[in-house]
């Protein structure tokens, strides 16, 4: 995510509070990722959660504190999962998802599952395989095979596993789009996908892939894009056809979505989502 502005974050939350409505767009409660507020969530957890709730969000997606120590989530390691859960709920929010690093899922899966269950999660999501800049299709296949095995274990614990894409899955190797390759390698019983809409910046439409791979999706990350400024913009201010995306998402089996934008764009994005009609 781009640079944060606490001043903009605090001001934007007031907009969301004033505009808050009880209606939920398309039958799915408004959710947001907490990575954009990483600069404050570890130092002012309660205040940050209240600001997100004030914007109108009902659900959040966390980042694993041990896996995101260097990103600002480290201080949350001092809290038990049940304490973090209670703080989130006290702010009027529900935490149903969390991002994890590949290494912690491979090396500390049992502990991460126990923490996830105590936190009240309903899904776990791998944020990235890590640095794969020089990877071959075979390397991607091996990573997918490992994730299938991890997903088998999380599912046994009652927690579906998702894979979160970035732009680097939307490149070609030997004429094959990496994302298409992964969709063939993932066992959809054990690994679903969390589609990041931001790949619209590269010319890839979320609805195309949601329609192409029904049953392979669990979640979405929402961003919008301005070709003129070549920057992310608030939802509804860019080129994404959101009614089309949400229609495809329903058919594809998406259970939740999380806005992931700089804080100054989050309140107006929540307001836009509340205005969508299913």
């Amino acid at each position: 995510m781009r640079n944060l502005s606490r001043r903009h974050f605090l001001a934007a939350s007031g907009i969301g509070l004033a505009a808050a409505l009880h209606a939920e767009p398309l039958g799915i409660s408004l959710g947001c990722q907490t990575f954009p507020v990483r600069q404050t969530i570890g130092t002012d957890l309660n205040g940050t959660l209240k600001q997100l709730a004030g914007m109108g969000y009902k659900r959040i997606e966390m980042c694993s504190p041990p896996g995101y120590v260097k990103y600002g989530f480290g201080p949350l390691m001092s809290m038990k999962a049940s304490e973090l859960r209670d703080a989130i709920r006290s702010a009027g929010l529900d935490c149903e998802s969390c991002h994890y690093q590949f290494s912690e899922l491979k090396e500390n899966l049992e502990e991460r599952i126990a923490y996830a269950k105590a936190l009240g999660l309903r899904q776990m999501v791998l944020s990235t395989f890590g640095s794969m800049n020089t990877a071959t299709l075979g390397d991607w296949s091996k990573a997918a095979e490992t994730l299938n095995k991890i997903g088998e274990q999380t599912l046994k614990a009652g927690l579906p596993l998702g894979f979160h894409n970035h732009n680097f899955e939307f490149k070609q190797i030997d004429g094959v789009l990496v994302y298409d390759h992964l969709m063939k390698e993932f066992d959809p019983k054990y690994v679903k996908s969390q589609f990041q809409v931001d790949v619209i910046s590269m010319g890839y439409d979320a609805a195309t892939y949601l329609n192409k791979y029904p049953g392979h999706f669990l979640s979405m990350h929402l961003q919008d894009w301005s070709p003129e400024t070549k920057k992310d913009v608030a939802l509804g201010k860019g080129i994404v056809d959101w009614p089309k995306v949400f229609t495809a998402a329903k058919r594809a089996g998406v259970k939740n979505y999380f806005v992931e934008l700089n804080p100054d764009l989050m309140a107006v994005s929540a307001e836009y989502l509340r205005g969508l009609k299913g």
Side-chain angles (χ1 to χ4, degrees):
M1 294 274 57
R2 278 85 177 168
N3 292 332
L4 303 172
S5 167
R6 180 172 174 80
R7 175 174 59 82
H8 286 154
F9 176 41
L10 295 174
S13 65
I15 297 172
L17 181 62
L21 301 174
H22 294 294
E24 304 291 357
L26 309 178
I28 304 176
S29 297
L30 274 67
C32 67
Q33 232 289 343
T34 54
F35 191 74
V37 294
R38 61 194 178 276
Q39 291 184 359
T40 61
I41 198 166
T43 57
D44 183 12
L45 174 65
N46 292 332
T48 300
L49 294 174
K50 289 178 181 177
Q51 297 292 345
L52 295 175
M55 293 178 183
Y57 292 102
K58 303 294 181 64
R59 310 182 189 194
I60 62 169
E61 182 175 59
M62 281 293 299
C63 293
S64 170
Y68 287 77
V69 171
K70 66 180 181 179
Y71 297 106
F73 290 83
L76 302 181
M77 291 177 64
S78 64
M79 303 177 69
K80 295 180 180 179
S82 58
E83 293 173 334
L84 180 56
R85 177 199 65 209
D86 291 346
I88 292 169
R89 292 179 179 174
S90 293
L93 297 166
D94 179 39
C95 182
E96 62 182 341
S97 184
C98 184
H99 271 204
Y100 296 87
Q101 303 285 357
F102 199 25
S103 59
E104 58 182 326
L105 293 182
K106 289 188 292 185
E107 299 165 10
N108 305 102
L109 183 59
E110 186 175 338
E111 187 277 334
R112 295 299 187 270
I113 289 174
Y115 186 94
K117 292 175 75 71
L119 187 57
L121 299 187
R122 290 185 284 279
Q123 65 188 44
M124 301 172 72
V125 178
L126 173 66
S127 60
T128 175
F129 281 131
S131 179
M132 301 283 281
N133 292 332
T134 60
T136 64
L137 287 178
D139 294 329
W140 285 101
S141 294
K142 290 177 182 178
E145 180 181 3
T146 298
L147 196 61
N148 283 333
K149 294 176 181 178
I150 292 172
E152 184 175 2
Q153 296 305 307
T154 65
L155 189 60
K156 285 181 180 178
L159 292 164
L161 181 67
F163 172 78
H164 176 80
N165 68 275
H166 291 83
N167 287 8
F168 36 80
E169 286 87 9
F170 284 81
K171 67 177 183 180
Q172 292 194 4
I173 299 176
D174 299 330
V176 177
L177 189 72
V178 171
Y179 192 80
D180 285 329
H181 182 71
L182 288 175
M183 290 300 99
K184 294 177 181 177
E185 295 294 314
F186 288 145
D187 184 335
K189 180 178 179 181
Y190 300 126
V191 179
K192 303 290 187 181
S193 290
Q194 181 182 72
F195 196 90
Q196 176 146 276
V197 179
D198 207 35
V199 293
I200 191 70
S201 64
M202 302 175 67
Y204 294 98
D205 177 22
T208 298
Y209 293 90
L210 293 166
N211 288 325
K212 186 176 183 179
Y213 299 107
H216 282 251
F217 295 93
L218 177 70
S219 180
M220 295 190 299
H221 266 208
L222 309 188
Q223 300 90 6
D224 214 330
W225 178 257
S226 168
E228 291 76 25
T229 63
K230 299 190 183 305
K231 293 181 179 179
D232 283 339
V233 293
L235 304 190
K237 303 294 185 181
I239 60 173
V240 175
D241 184 339
W242 289 108
K244 178 182 175 183
V245 168
F246 274 101
T247 297
K250 279 191 171 183
R251 294 194 191 114
V254 168
K255 305 300 182 185
N256 47 49
Y257 60 82
F258 303 98
V259 174
E260 188 182 30
L261 288 165
N262 283 345
D264 57 321
L265 303 176
M266 291 175 68
V268 67
S269 293
E271 185 176 359
Y272 172 78
L273 288 172
R274 282 192 296 270
L276 285 178
K277 298 294 186 289

